[in-house]
């Protein structure tokens, strides 16, 4: 791969305190513009573009993208033969390049360029006060309403590698990758309009050559149904390339002699639309969004198909600098210009959430059905506490038995009240099992555990880890032994969040013969139970499920108060599950370091930053120290993009050291001293 600069920076690590915090965390603030345009009025168009650049700069945008041939207007037709139009556009381009210097950003503008008696439809990359590169269009549409070949030459018909504009020699061609010296994750490839619609878009090869961000300058006319197709095309290309994708198109200011241009603009990232313009508006629109290029890079690192593929041509690097502003970690924290949910495992849209829950519930049920068919058993034993996790497992078991046309009485539900069991949870467990038509058994564990304490010489008044774990292991022993009695299997109930934190007793609730909840995080369990109450069941069953959903999360291992009230609440001990699930998603799914996870958490949660840091430390300490429990976890189905099975997605040594991650948290904590 060739370079157009000899001072390639190599790999450098940006420090949060010394530069723009967004860049240091892998974010790149961009804007796509649909400018108001007058056909062939270069001065007016340049003025509008200049104003949009200045406005984007005020919002700290680092790159702004404009449509195809926006300096002249796309629909100039035979006016493209006029030297006056072409010369004026080139002069305006030089002025806009100068604008990028005092506005401290990058801009990409569509312009016609004359080279060796051929006219090219080009994207001009502007930055640092100069034209840094010029990318000509490869695929020229020449059917139906389009006839670009009348005026323009395809990039495939030139051997030129540079072009002179004024006293500047500028890289020219379709094999340019624009790379930021001070932001290694930022490498930019460019394609123009029809290039995207080709069988093999240039962006695919550019992505394999290292481009993490693809820009598309377009002039797509509007037709009935075309907008949704175009949106899907952009989403799919960004997903296929594992890249961010900026797209903007000419607006209704273009000629309407035969066509209407809608000004459709989108910002996408790996299959997700971050921002989108309104269509068919005459005034200038500026759509902004923060791209996570570190996330793009991490996704590529994990994708062996991507890493084993190669670009189909040699690319050349054009190096540039991204201007940065000094921003403190604790003050002046910028608000991200992208949608960010505090519950990344749960869709915000209610209809999508319902669809999501239905699919998960079906996956769990089919997974268990396969296991029952394979073992040939008609029985499962399940410990039902009256809490969310065991309730979900029970509902899945009943759905499975219905799928297999098996008698629900084969589901042996056992409640095992101990020292911390409340009447509410015990009552809900018994009522639910009987309403569902399962076999119900109540086996108290008080005396068995007391006998165990006596055998090992443990003082019952000492409520330590022995006191708690002895109860958990007694319950598992009962479940295993009853399963042996009936020739069945023990159905596990622990969820993904508990596995991540190790909030389970080794060789107790950590163990089963099959665990249908292993891939479901805690924040999603609650929604699944509520969804079941609304969609799978009704009447008294639904009433019980709603009450279970309102019950505080607790292992119920410590004694109750004198009034019989619960004294042990999980989230008061380790922190809110919604926060830990957030940490889990960004740490495992995207491999983000603690400082970035913390930054994102501060964007969506109302907890104090010190609270979030405290829980972040708890998360990393437990995640590393409790891997041995996950290394011995039972079989269970993968449900979403985050899974912790040692046989599948997550392979980690049980004795891995957490010092690097904890040290980064310590450094952040020092900022609050």
């Amino acid at each position: 791969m060739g370079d157009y600069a000899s001072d390639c920076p190599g790999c450098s690590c940006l420090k949060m305190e010394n530069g723009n915090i967004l860049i240091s965390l892998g974010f790149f603030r961009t804007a796509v513009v649909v400018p108001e345009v007058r056909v062939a009025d270069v001065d007016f168009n340049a003025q509008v573009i200049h104003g949009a650049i200045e406005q984007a700069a005020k919002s700290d945008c680092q790159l702004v993208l404009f449509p195809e041939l926006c300096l002249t207007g796309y629909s100039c037709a035979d006016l493209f033969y006029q030297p006056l139009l072409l010369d004026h556009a080139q002069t305006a381009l030089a002025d806009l390049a100068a604008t990028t210097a005092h506005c401290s950003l990058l801009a990409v503008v569509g312009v016609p360029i004359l080279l060796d008696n051929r006219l090219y439809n080009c994207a001009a990359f502007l930055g640092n006060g100069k034209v840094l590169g010029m990318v000509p269009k490869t695929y020229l549409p020449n059917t139906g309403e389009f006839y670009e070949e009348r005026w323009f030459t395809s990039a495939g018909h030139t051997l030129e590698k540079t072009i002179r504009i004024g006293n500047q020699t500028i890289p020219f061609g379709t094999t340019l990758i624009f790379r930021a010296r001070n932001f290694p994750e930022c490498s930019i490839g460019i394609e123009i309009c029809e290039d995207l619609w080709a069988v093999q878009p240039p962006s695919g090869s550019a992505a394999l050559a290292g481009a993490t961000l693809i820009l598309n300058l377009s002039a797509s006319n509007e037709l009935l149904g075309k907008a949704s197709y175009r949106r899907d095309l952009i989403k799919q290309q960004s997903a296929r390339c594992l890249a961010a994708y900026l797209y903007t198109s000419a607006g209704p200011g273009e000629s309407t002699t035969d066509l209407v241009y809608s000004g459709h603009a989108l910002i996408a990232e790996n299959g997700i639309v971050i921002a989108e313009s309104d269509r068919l508006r005459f005034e200038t629109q500026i759509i902004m969004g923060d791209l996570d290029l570190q996330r793009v890079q991490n996704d590529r690192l994990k994708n062996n198909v991507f890493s084993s593929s190669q670009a189909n041509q040699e690319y050349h690097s054009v190096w540039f600098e991204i201007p940065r502003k000094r921003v403190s970690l604790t003050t002046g924290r910028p608000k991200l210009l992208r949608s960010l949910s505090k519950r990344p495992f749960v869709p915000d849209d209610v209809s999508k959430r319902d669809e999501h829950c239905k699919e998960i519930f079906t996956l769990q049920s089919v997974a268990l059905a396969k296991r029952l068919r394979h073992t040939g058993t008609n029985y499962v034993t399940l410990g039902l506490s009256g809490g969310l996790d065991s309730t979900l497992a029970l509902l899945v078991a009943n759905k499975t038995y219905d799928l297999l046309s098996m008698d629900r009485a084969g589901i042996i539900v056992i409640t095992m009240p101990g020292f911390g069991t409340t009447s509410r949870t015990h009552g809900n467990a018994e009522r639910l099992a009987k309403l569902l038509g399962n076999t119900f058994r109540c086996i108290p564990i008080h005396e068995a555990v007391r006998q165990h304490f006596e055998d090992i010489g443990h003082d019952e008044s000492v409520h330590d880890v022995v006191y708690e774990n002895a109860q958990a292991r007694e319950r598992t022993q009962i479940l295993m032994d009853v399963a042996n009695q009936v020739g069945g299997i023990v159905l596990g109930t622990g969820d993904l969040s508990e596995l991540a934190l190790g909030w389970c007793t080794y060789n107790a609730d950590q163990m089963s013969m099959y665990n249908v909840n292993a891939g479901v995080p805690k924040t999603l369990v609650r929604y699944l139970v509520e969804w079941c109450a609304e969609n799978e069941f009704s009447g008294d069953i639904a009433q019980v499920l709603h009450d279970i959903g309102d019950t505080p999360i607790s292992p119920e291992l410590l004694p109750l108060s004198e009034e019989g009230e619960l004294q042990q609440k999980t989230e008061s001990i380790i922190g809110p599950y919604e926060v830990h699930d957030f940490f889990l998603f960004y740490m495992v799914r995207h491999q983000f370091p603690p400082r970035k996870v913390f930054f994102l958490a501060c964007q969506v949660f109302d907890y104090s930053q010190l609270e979030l840091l405290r829980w972040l430390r708890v998360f990393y300490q437990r995640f590393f120290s409790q891997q041995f429990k996950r290394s011995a976890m039972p079989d269970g189905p993968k449900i979403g993009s985050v899974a912790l099975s040692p046989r599948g997605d997550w392979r980690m040594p049980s004795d891995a050291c957490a010092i690097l991650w904890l040290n980064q948290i310590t450094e952040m904590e020092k900022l609050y001293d």
Side-chain angles (χ1 to χ4, degrees):
M1 182 177 290
D3 287 347
Y4 281 103
S6 59
D7 53 346
C8 172
C11 295
S12 61
C13 181
L14 297 171
K15 301 297 184 183
M16 187 182 302
E17 304 88 85
N18 297 331
N20 186 301
I21 188 173
L22 291 180
I23 287 182
S24 75
L25 295 174
F27 292 107
F28 190 48
R29 180 157 293 179
T30 60
V32 289
V33 178
V34 181
E36 182 182 359
V37 170
R38 292 180 185 171
V39 179
D41 190 343
V42 175
D43 289 343
F44 175 84
N45 297 338
Q47 183 179 2
V48 171
I49 294 170
H50 182 277
I53 290 174
E54 289 190 328
Q55 188 173 340
K58 291 177 182 178
S59 297
D60 296 324
C61 287
Q62 292 148 324
L63 180 145
V64 56
L65 176 68
F66 294 90
E68 181 179 12
L69 296 171
C70 59
L71 260 177
T72 57
Y74 175 79
S75 52
C76 287
D78 284 357
L79 292 177
F80 283 124
Y81 292 136
Q82 296 285 316
L84 180 62
L85 180 73
L86 301 179
D87 292 344
H88 216 60
Q90 188 166 305
T91 300
L93 184 67
D95 292 340
L96 289 173
T99 299
T100 63
H102 76 260
C103 285
S104 299
L105 51 59
L106 309 162
V108 180
V109 177
V111 61
I113 292 293
L114 188 64
L115 175 63
D116 292 340
N117 302 310
R118 296 183 177 90
L119 189 62
Y120 295 92
N121 179 347
C122 291
F125 194 100
L126 315 178
N128 310 129
K130 301 177 181 179
V131 180
L132 299 178
M134 196 79 70
V135 178
K137 188 173 182 176
T138 299
Y139 297 102
L140 303 177
N142 214 58
T143 57
E145 65 267 43
F146 294 104
Y147 37 96
E148 282 190 36
E149 288 183 3
R150 178 179 176 92
W151 311 293
F152 298 105
T153 299
S154 168
H157 294 150
T158 181
L159 298 176
E160 297 294 332
K161 300 298 182 184
T162 60
I163 182 175
R164 284 196 64 83
I165 296 181
N167 60 357
Q168 186 182 358
T169 300
I170 301 166
F172 180 88
T174 59
T175 59
L176 304 181
I177 302 289
F178 299 88
R179 302 182 186 275
R181 288 189 180 92
N182 54 347
F183 189 4
E185 296 93 342
C186 183
S187 296
I188 301 172
I190 297 175
E191 58 188 9
I192 302 175
C193 197
E194 189 73 9
D195 293 348
L196 171 64
W197 302 70
V199 175
Q200 293 182 324
S203 53
S205 184
L208 291 173
T212 53
L213 170 58
I214 305 297
L215 311 181
N216 188 306
L217 304 79
S218 185
S220 181
N221 65 307
E222 203 59 68
L223 300 171
L224 184 65
K226 190 174 182 180
S228 59
Y229 184 87
R230 185 191 299 119
R231 183 186 303 108
D232 289 343
L233 193 65
I234 291 164
K235 288 169 60 177
Q236 287 300 317
Q237 189 63 7
S238 71
R240 185 176 293 108
C241 293
L242 294 175
Y245 201 103
L246 302 189
Y247 176 95
T248 187
S249 187
E254 295 285 354
S255 172
T256 57
T257 300
D258 291 300
L259 305 173
V260 175
Y261 299 85
S262 68
H264 199 181
L266 299 102
I267 299 176
E269 180 185 297
N270 200 0
I272 299 172
V273 173
I274 293 175
E276 184 171 0
S277 69
D278 296 329
R279 293 181 295 127
L280 300 167
R281 282 177 50 180
F282 284 101
E283 67 273 18
T284 297
Q285 290 190 75
I286 303 177
I287 312 301
M288 293 179 285
D290 288 325
L291 301 172
D292 192 343
L293 299 184
Q294 185 181 81
R295 174 179 173 176
V296 168
Q297 186 180 70
N298 289 343
D299 285 344
R300 290 181 175 184
L301 282 173
K302 293 194 304 181
N303 190 301
N304 66 315
V305 175
F306 188 93
S307 62
S308 62
S309 303
Q310 292 183 340
N312 57 20
Q313 55 188 324
E314 182 181 1
Y315 281 78
H316 303 275
S317 298
V318 179
W319 295 94
F320 64 91
E321 294 277 347
I322 297 176
R324 291 178 290 158
K325 297 180 180 179
R326 187 181 183 90
V327 181
S328 168
L329 174 64
T330 56
T331 60
R333 182 181 303 281
K335 185 70 177 176
L336 278 180
L337 302 180
R338 61 186 284 138
S339 177
L340 191 66
S341 173
K342 66 171 60 176
R343 296 182 179 89
F345 292 108
V346 182
D348 292 323
D349 183 87
V350 176
S351 61
K352 288 183 179 179
R353 186 188 306 158
D354 288 345
E355 182 181 342
H356 208 59
C357 289
K358 181 179 181 180
E359 185 169 4
I360 292 170
F361 194 62
T362 303
L363 285 171
Q364 291 178 282
S365 302
V366 170
L368 179 57
K370 165 61 180 176
R371 183 53 54 101
L372 293 179
R373 292 179 65 181
H374 175 73
T375 58
T377 182
N378 294 322
Y379 298 97
V380 298
T381 62
L382 182 147
L384 188 62
S385 67
L388 285 168
D389 292 339
S390 58
T391 296
L392 177 59
L394 178 62
L395 298 177
V396 169
N398 279 272
K399 177 70 171 181
T400 302
Y401 271 60
D402 292 347
L403 286 173
L404 297 175
S405 299
M406 293 168 57
D407 187 351
R408 287 186 179 183
I411 303 172
I412 302 173
V413 178
I414 306 175
T415 61
M416 295 162 281
F419 304 124
T421 303
T422 64
S423 58
R424 178 182 185 180
T425 54
H426 183 266
N428 279 336
E430 180 175 357
R431 190 175 180 211
L432 181 61
K434 291 180 177 179
L435 286 170
L436 289 169
N438 306 139
T439 299
F440 176 77
R441 294 184 64 179
C442 178
I443 305 176
I445 64 169
H446 308 81
E447 295 309 315
V449 173
R450 287 193 174 103
Q451 180 62 54
H452 180 64
F453 288 159
E454 183 178 340
D455 291 341
I456 66 173
H458 182 75
D459 185 348
E460 184 182 336
S461 66
V462 178
H463 300 157
D464 57 5
V465 67
V466 176
Y467 182 89
E468 295 191 33
N469 287 351
Q471 297 175 71
R473 292 196 176 100
E474 177 62 27
R475 287 177 172 133
T476 300
Q477 175 176 269
I478 291 171
L479 291 171
M480 291 286 182
D481 290 343
V482 173
N484 291 159
Q485 279 182 329
V486 299
I489 64 172
V490 176
L491 193 61
T493 62
D495 63 51
L496 179 67
S497 306
E498 292 179 342
L499 286 168
L501 294 166
W503 194 251
C504 52
T505 300
Y506 190 74
N507 202 31
D509 52 310
Q510 171 260 351
M511 187 49 61
S512 65
M513 295 168 183
Y514 196 73
N515 185 2
V516 292
N517 289 344
V520 185
K522 183 76 77 176
T523 48
L524 191 52
V525 170
R526 186 181 301 277
Y527 284 100
L528 280 163
V529 171
E530 292 291 336
W531 176 83
C532 285
E534 298 293 335
N535 296 274
E536 290 288 325
F537 304 95
S538 60
D540 291 341
I541 295 177
Q543 183 182 15
V544 175
L545 294 179
H546 285 309
D547 191 61
I548 290 172
D550 293 334
T551 303
I553 299 170
S554 171
E556 294 192 335
L557 295 171
L558 296 182
L560 303 176
S561 68
E562 293 181 359
E563 294 77 23
E565 296 296 323
L566 187 68
Q567 295 198 99
Q568 186 183 27
K569 296 182 180 180
T570 300
E571 292 178 298
S572 298
I573 301 169
I574 60 173
Y577 270 114
E578 65 173 357
V579 174
H580 285 301
D581 279 359
F582 187 91
F583 296 159
L584 173 65
F585 181 82
Y586 285 103
M587 185 267 194
V588 172
R589 173 64 180 84
H590 296 300
Q591 302 85 47
F592 290 163
R595 66 173 185 156
K596 185 166 183 176
V597 175
F598 171 67
F599 174 82
L600 293 174
C602 289
Q603 295 282 318
V604 297
F605 290 111
D606 293 328
Y607 304 110
S608 73
Q609 293 178 1
L610 284 174
E611 283 181 299
L612 289 173
L613 276 175
R614 184 172 74 251
W615 294 328
L616 188 64
R617 177 174 289 278
V618 169
F619 174 82
Y620 277 95
Q621 285 174 331
R622 295 194 65 91
F623 188 88
F624 274 81
S625 67
Q626 302 295 297
Q627 172 61 29
F628 73 98
K629 296 178 182 177
R630 298 188 292 270
S631 295
M633 64 184 278
D635 293 354
K638 177 179 178 178
I639 297 298
S641 59
V642 175
L644 296 175
S645 170
R647 299 168 295 277
D649 292 64
W650 190 253
R651 293 169 173 83
M652 173 182 169
S654 296
D655 49 8
C657 186
I659 192 66
L660 289 176
W661 292 264
L662 296 178
N663 280 349
Q664 190 168 102
I665 296 173
T666 298
E667 290 303 311
M668 291 189 288
E669 290 169 338
K670 290 178 180 178
L671 298 174
Y672 295 89
D673 289 342

